Amino acid sequence: MNTFLHDWGLAVITFLPLVGAAVMMAIPRAEEQLQKIVALVASTAALAVGIWILAEFDYDRAGSMQFEINRRWIEIIHSRFSMGVDGIALPLLILTVAIIPLCVIYSWNHIPSPGNAKAFLILILILETGVIGSFVAHDLILFFVFFEIVLLPMYFLIGVWGGEQRQYAAIKFFLYTLFGSALMIVAFLALFWLSGANSFDMTELHNAARVPGALSNTAQVLIFGGMFVGFAIKVPMFPFHTWLPDAHTQAPTVGSVILAALLLKLGTYGFVRIAIGIMPSYASHKWAPVLVVLSTIGIIYGALGCLAQTDMKRLIAFSSVAHMGFTMLGISTLTDFGINAAIFGMVAHGLITGMLFFVAGSMKERYHTLELKRLGGLLVSAPKMGWILGFCSMASLGLPGLAGFWGEFPAILAAYNPAEGLSKALFRTCMVIAAIGTVFAAGYLLWMFQRTSFGTPKDEFADDPHITDVSRPEWIAWTPLLISIVLFGFLPGLMFDVTNPAVKIVAAAAGIGG
């Protein structure tokens, strides 16, 4: 069995959700309960394989690719079906296979209007395959295919089951991402042809691109620029962020959770694994000042945007712009310390912001509004939900002892000593500004919590029987996330020890040499 896992485990975990979706297509739409069971079984089976991989992973070799698959695929374009997982991909893989079944459980009694559980859950399973495949793909064309697979399911989740402005938000999301993908594939092709590599395998491209004289300095900068736009839109970084608040605000609850917890990580992962991990250090060093400046602007802009919001869900959406700014701040340092902080930040943001969107969705279902001026008294009407919201708000603002702290504080600290050759004055200035952003974060999150939870319920909701406390499916969906936020807050080494060996390899290539 272990041989099978090492030979085919990543293919199985990638396509199990797709198999579940195929089975659901054969089940009549009227069998809604059976549809939900199949979706839960398929996503839970992927989680079980993920736990098996976690148990069999060789942590002494976390810097090396494991469970590798390398088979013929599209020979005419020199692309192979190549997969692998190391210490960078493993936490994100486990996050993905954990989040999706929780979303299915939450959706058990929360299928949004206009209904149709069959189509809704099929799209979620297809999306899961795309996200898993993106994290384990080791061939650029295979990565691009999985990267694009997530586009259509999310487009339909927003466009069909979203809010009043769902069509506008869905089209905006689609066009932004498609534009970034177009530049990204051009960059991939240019890297392949100009480097003289024999395939799109990431390791081979890495080696070919770093041969002296293989790529001119101009080519390096331009290729990195194409990747930068593609990944920056997905993160999203300022000024490519404008699609995100609309998409989050209009998406159904689990759509917002998946978008925040998983899809945004495809951009930051792409920066670490591909842009910095493959390209010669000259390109990374030339783009690092751009990354750090835009990241810092994003931190402050996102925080100020939160303070200007009147809708709770839109406020949480703008907070993602700020939090992902901290992740990109860590990446921009090109150091192992900064990139480790960034990967931790990716997982922490997925857990915490995913929870915030879960709670916001449950409040919207009960109150039928998320206007802050109409909310209040949640600790009176639904005290357990109110305390969960307070806990997640504290985690999001970076309270020590909770996971959010280890995603932000080390990223800020890493900016004090960026990689050799980068401007310490610039990075230290950005470090101070980013630190000020944490104060803004405390301001807007505590303000949101106060407006929604303190005081007494407004007259229109004072005796509303529909405002109930946390339900059983919500408890089941939320408890693993709440435990994880505390666990990683007190034991950050659980993740840092896994990511560090692989990150050291990336940082050494990005920060040293030419």
Side-chain angles (χ1 to χ4, degrees):
M1 289 295 288
N2 284 355
T3 301
F4 175 80
L5 180 69
H6 283 271
D7 290 344
W8 294 102
L10 293 184
V12 170
I13 196 174
T14 301
F15 293 109
L16 260 177
L18 201 60
V19 171
V23 172
M24 291 176 66
M25 289 179 184
I27 300 174
R29 176 179 170 180
E31 300 286 343
E32 185 170 306
Q33 194 71 6
L34 183 57
Q35 299 280 357
K36 295 175 181 177
I37 292 172
V38 172
L40 182 60
V41 168
S43 57
T44 305
L47 174 60
V49 177
I51 294 172
W52 192 9
I53 290 173
L54 196 65
E56 292 294 325
F57 188 82
D58 186 350
Y59 295 95
D60 292 330
R61 297 192 307 110
S64 304
M65 282 292 167
Q66 301 180 39
F67 305 96
E68 288 185 279
I69 300 173
N70 195 340
R71 300 287 189 272
R72 290 189 301 175
W73 188 37
I74 313 175
E75 291 188 355
I76 195 170
I77 61 170
H78 308 283
S79 182
R80 297 182 64 81
F81 188 83
S82 178
M83 291 180 164
V85 63
D86 63 356
I88 294 173
L90 185 64
L92 298 169
L93 172 64
I94 300 304
L95 176 68
T96 303
V97 295
I99 287 289
I100 297 299
L102 300 182
C103 287
V104 174
I105 293 169
Y106 180 86
S107 300
W108 211 266
N109 298 322
H110 294 82
I111 300 295
S113 177
N116 193 350
K118 177 178 180 176
F120 186 76
L121 295 173
I122 284 175
L123 289 172
I124 290 177
L125 291 178
I126 295 172
L127 196 151
E128 182 179 12
T129 287
V131 176
I132 293 172
S134 298
F135 289 140
V136 301
H138 203 59
D139 177 281
L140 283 189
I141 299 300
L142 186 62
F143 170 85
F144 182 79
V145 169
F146 284 121
F147 192 86
E148 291 302 289
I149 282 176
V150 305
L151 183 57
L152 277 177
M154 184 53 67
Y155 169 79
F156 285 114
L157 284 174
I158 298 172
V160 177
W161 288 274
E164 294 181 359
Q165 302 295 322
R166 58 186 178 274
Q167 293 180 0
Y168 168 77
I171 291 174
K172 192 173 183 180
F173 161 76
F174 190 92
L175 292 178
Y176 263 76
T177 307
L178 196 63
F179 173 75
S181 298
L183 292 180
M184 185 173 67
I185 191 63
V186 170
F188 289 173
L189 293 173
L191 176 61
F192 171 75
W193 289 114
L194 295 178
S195 68
N198 294 319
S199 76
F200 283 92
D201 180 82
M202 293 184 188
T203 300
E204 185 167 335
L205 282 169
H206 172 278
N207 294 332
R210 291 166 191 268
V211 172
L215 293 174
S216 68
N217 290 344
T218 301
Q220 291 181 36
V221 171
L222 291 176
I223 292 171
F224 195 103
M227 296 179 184
F228 165 79
V229 175
F231 296 138
I233 288 175
K234 206 77 168 184
V235 170
M237 291 183 69
F238 177 92
F240 306 103
H241 67 283
T242 57
W243 64 269
L244 182 68
D246 293 317
H248 267 316
T249 304
Q250 299 302 321
T253 299
V254 295
S256 293
V257 172
I258 294 171
L259 187 60
L262 305 178
L263 263 62
L264 304 189
K265 310 308 176 292
L266 296 180
T268 46
Y269 176 79
F271 271 111
V272 174
R273 173 70 71 204
I274 299 173
I276 295 174
I278 293 179
M279 293 299 296
S281 61
Y282 179 85
S284 303
H285 279 67
K286 286 297 181 184
W287 277 95
V290 177
L291 294 179
V292 72
V293 169
L294 293 182
S295 301
T296 307
I297 293 174
I299 291 169
I300 301 301
Y301 176 88
L304 294 177
C306 288
L307 292 170
Q309 300 310 309
T310 58
D311 180 275
M312 178 181 174
K313 200 173 182 184
R314 197 170 178 86
L315 185 152
I316 299 170
F318 267 97
S319 77
S320 284
V321 177
H323 288 306
M324 296 309 289
F326 285 106
T327 298
M328 288 307 304
L329 176 66
I331 292 172
S332 70
T333 65
L334 305 182
T335 62
D336 55 346
F337 187 46
I339 297 175
N340 271 309
I343 297 172
F344 197 107
M346 295 181 211
V347 177
H349 177 266
L351 297 171
I352 297 167
T353 307
M355 265 305 309
L356 284 171
F357 277 118
F358 266 139
V359 175
S362 293
M363 290 177 63
K364 177 69 177 289
E365 187 176 74
R366 289 160 170 79
Y367 288 92
H368 305 290
T369 183
L370 286 176
E371 289 185 57
L372 292 171
K373 65 181 180 181
R374 294 178 60 189
L375 298 175
L378 184 64
L379 287 169
V380 175
S381 302
K384 294 183 180 67
M385 188 176 294
W387 285 116
I388 290 173
L389 176 60
F391 172 82
C392 294
S393 298
M394 297 302 167
S396 187
L397 64 82
L399 187 72
L402 300 177
F405 175 79
W406 299 107
E408 293 184 5
F409 175 72
I412 296 171
L413 196 59
Y416 187 80
N417 279 315
E420 191 71 28
L422 298 179
S423 170
K424 289 187 177 181
L426 173 63
F427 274 79
R428 290 176 181 179
T429 300
C430 290
M431 178 194 72
V432 173
I433 297 172
I436 295 172
T438 62
V439 179
F440 288 146
Y444 66 71
L445 286 163
L446 292 175
W447 176 71
M448 177 193 73
F449 182 52
Q450 179 185 16
R451 295 287 298 275
T452 57
S453 303
F454 289 3
T456 57
K458 299 293 191 295
D459 292 341
E460 60 178 314
F461 301 117
D463 300 311
D464 192 333
H466 295 100
I467 302 178
T468 57
D469 218 332
V470 184
S471 66
R472 181 177 296 177
E474 290 168 343
W475 272 124
I476 296 172
W478 297 355
T479 300
L481 299 181
L482 296 172
I483 293 173
S484 298
I485 291 169
V486 176
L487 180 66
F488 287 118
F490 276 97
L491 299 172
L494 290 175
M495 195 179 308
F496 284 134
D497 291 344
V498 175
T499 62
N500 190 50
V503 166
K504 280 184 176 294
I505 295 173
V506 173
I512 302 172

